[in-house]
Amino acid sequence: MFNLNDIIRPNVLKMKAYSSARDEFKGSASVFLDANENSLGSLAGDKYNRYPDPHQRKLKARIAEIKSVQPEQIFLGNGSDEAIDLLFRMVCRPGQDSMLHLPPTYGMYEVSANLNEVALQAVQLTEDFQIPVEEVLINLKPTTKIIFICSPNNPTGNLIEPESISELLRAFKGLVVVDEAYIDFADARSWTSRLQEFPNLVVLQTFSKAWGMAGLRLGLAFASPEIIAVLDKIKPPYNINEATQELALQALEREEALKDMIEEIVQERELLLEALPDMPSVEHVYPSDANFILVKVTDPNGMYKYLLDKGIVVRNRSSLPGCEGCLRISVGTLEENQQLLQAIAEYN
Ligand SMILES: Cc1ncc(COP(=O)(O)O)c(C=O)c1O
């Protein structure tokens, strides 16, 4: 049985959250002299002289409606990268505990583990980029506190089979984090719909991809109210700035525009998936459920430099075990994709 208190670091279990000025006074007032702000105003524009709501109440209420969860099941971070870091700090004792990830995958799990002095256990994805569940189970140790699963996976682009994820959720006594940064581009249900079923499930999403808000830094973690309460306790008090909270609330009212944008990106992705295999320099094009495509080419370093000379930057992933020969290409606008295809067609 999963018991959250068994895995939380003892110091985190004991500590109290920082109590901000906004926490200590909740009534209405006209003169605010409690937070050492600049009462004269802001050089950056109206309102920004005041600290933002540390609990992001309005934003969480609206996200809860859209995502069909309770506000108490939502944590907001300064990008989902902040949530990844806080998850380590919540359950992994530096120098003692470990996490397990499944490369080739998103690099920040490893970076964040290293920063937090958390040992890394790596189980390579299978050739078709799925989870070798038995191998993961064999590798779990009493000190393993988190398993990171990225679905759709970056940089391979594919969804992970739900049955493998649920098997790990059932068997593992630590946190299973399913990173759904690219879920809006996939034809799949989010794992947020199964939070009630699995008390050890944490789902990560982000406003950086489909919502087009990478510059504003807003990431989400969905989990049980108990897990979210601990993340909220240990986060920096004002981690989501006022401009981001306001702009995200405005963006959330534009769900139709979001759908249109996703549709266009998926359409462009399908065109790239169709055109790329015909290019002589392309050896293999992997299927994609995301807004990027992994492409195996005959000469990845040569192709990378050649595209760069033409002003086109892609990601060279050819040195990653499992991605030998591969470039990762984000789906661009129609014009950008045509430029890319023409450049690749002319490569020899
Ligand atoms: C799988 C995955 N998770 C998380 C992130 C980070 O997202 P954010 O911009 O919310 O920090 C990325 C960014 O590329 C990603 O690929």
Side-chain angles (χ1 to χ4, degrees):
M1 259 280 284
F2 171 75
N3 185 350
L4 182 62
N5 285 352
D6 288 348
I7 63 163
I8 294 181
R9 286 165 65 194
N11 60 313
V12 170
L13 210 51
K14 265 193 280 172
M15 68 174 265
K16 276 204 167 82
Y18 174 73
S19 179
S20 71
R22 292 289 169 271
D23 285 322
E24 289 180 12
F25 175 77
K26 289 206 177 70
S28 62
S30 54
V31 181
F32 283 95
L33 302 176
D34 59 346
N36 300 344
E37 296 154 337
N38 185 340
S39 291
L40 276 58
S42 166
L43 298 176
D46 253 9
K47 291 181 295 188
Y48 296 127
N49 58 328
R50 299 296 176 189
Y51 282 106
D53 174 9
H55 306 293
Q56 307 106 18
R57 289 184 184 86
K58 277 191 204 156
L59 191 49
K60 281 188 178 177
R62 190 70 191 102
I63 293 172
E65 285 172 1
I66 289 177
K67 299 282 182 183
S68 305
V69 297
Q70 296 303 310
E72 296 74 27
Q73 292 174 301
I74 304 171
F75 167 81
L76 296 180
N78 187 357
S80 38
D81 285 343
E82 184 179 38
I84 294 168
D85 178 64
L86 288 175
L87 286 165
F88 280 120
R89 295 211 249 168
M90 173 168 126
V91 299
C92 295
R93 295 163 301 172
Q96 295 181 55
D97 290 329
S98 61
M99 72 86 147
L100 190 146
H101 75 153
L102 296 136
T105 193
Y106 182 48
M108 276 306 286
Y109 313 138
E110 178 169 353
V111 170
S112 217
N114 287 337
L115 176 63
N116 287 294
E117 217 188 328
V118 174
L120 205 69
Q121 298 176 258
V123 173
Q124 196 78 8
L125 290 172
T126 59
E127 255 181 30
D128 55 351
F129 303 133
Q130 291 297 328
I131 301 179
V133 176
E134 284 309 312
E135 202 184 328
V136 171
L137 293 176
I138 289 166
N139 275 280
L140 294 174
K141 302 185 213 168
T143 52
T144 314
K145 294 291 177 69
I146 312 181
I147 300 175
F148 278 95
I149 298 166
C150 191
S151 179
N153 186 40
N154 176 6
T156 59
N158 62 294
L159 282 162
I160 301 294
E161 279 166 18
E163 203 30 62
S164 308
I165 299 178
S166 49
E167 215 176 317
L168 293 179
L169 276 160
R170 275 190 280 269
F172 182 49
K173 307 276 185 295
L175 299 179
V176 175
V177 179
V178 181
D179 186 342
E180 294 186 335
Y182 301 98
I183 191 70
D184 295 308
F185 306 105
D187 188 13
R189 247 170 81 204
S190 166
W191 279 86
T192 52
S193 59
R194 301 185 69 178
L195 285 170
Q196 307 288 358
E197 205 180 322
F198 299 111
N200 55 340
L201 170 63
V202 179
V203 181
L204 299 181
Q205 290 184 7
T206 179
F207 279 82
S208 298
K209 311 295 174 185
W211 290 90
M213 289 164 51
L216 288 174
R217 313 304 302 129
L218 187 61
L220 310 100
F222 301 93
S224 69
E226 292 74 23
I227 293 176
I228 297 302
V230 182
L231 287 173
D232 275 336
K233 179 168 95 166
I234 64 177
K235 79 180 179 69
Y238 304 112
N239 62 330
I240 311 298
N241 70 69
E242 179 67 23
T244 296
Q245 293 194 39
E246 280 173 16
L247 290 167
L249 268 170
Q250 288 173 27
L252 286 166
E253 296 313 308
R254 302 188 59 203
E255 268 193 288
E256 276 310 307
L258 172 76
K259 276 192 202 131
D260 290 347
M261 207 140 68
I262 292 170
E263 210 172 289
E264 193 174 330
I265 292 169
V266 168
Q267 217 167 34
E268 284 299 314
R269 176 187 76 198
E270 296 306 307
L271 290 177
L272 286 175
L273 286 172
E274 220 176 277
L276 283 165
D278 293 337
M279 311 273 167
S281 53
V282 171
E283 278 184 7
H284 187 66
V285 180
Y286 291 90
S288 171
D289 301 299
N291 67 341
F292 57 84
I293 299 174
L294 192 70
V295 185
K296 189 169 190 173
V297 295
T298 46
D299 174 19
N301 295 329
M303 171 77 86
Y304 177 79
K305 284 197 200 93
Y306 161 84
L307 289 174
L308 212 50
D309 282 344
K310 299 212 165 249
I312 302 171
V313 202
V314 299
R315 197 87 193 265
N316 189 349
R317 300 276 77 184
S318 60
S319 61
L320 277 188
C323 291
E324 290 82 3
C326 289
L327 302 176
R328 193 197 68 191
I329 304 177
S330 304
V331 177
T333 63
L334 180 134
E335 293 76 21
E336 289 169 341
N337 300 334
Q338 280 174 348
Q339 219 178 311
L340 171 90
L341 287 175
Q342 190 176 342
I344 296 181
E346 287 166 4
Y347 181 77
N348 53 47

